[in-house]
Amino acid sequence: MRVIVLIGFAFFVALVAACGVDGEPEKPGAERDAPKVTVSGSARVGVIF
């Protein structure tokens, strides 16, 4: 039982230690706020006999 708790604690410490590895958070720029997906086209609904 102690081994399982020790492994769980080691995993938790490793997970928390990885936080912030890539540096300080960066504020998103204006170009990230702009939409990059456009949708265009047409649609028809009906019955053909």
Side-chain angles (χ1 to χ4, degrees), residues 1-46:
M1 183 66 184
R2 287 184 182 180
V3 175
I4 294 173
V5 172
L6 183 62
I7 291 172
F9 182 70
F11 177 75
F12 176 74
V13 169
L15 184 67
V16 172
C19 294
V21 169
D22 60 346
E24 293 293 322
E26 297 177 6
K27 186 175 182 181
E31 59 190 37
R32 293 184 83 187
D33 295 337
K36 296 182 180 179
V37 176
T38 58
V39 178
S40 64
S42 63
R44 295 183 202 183
V45 178

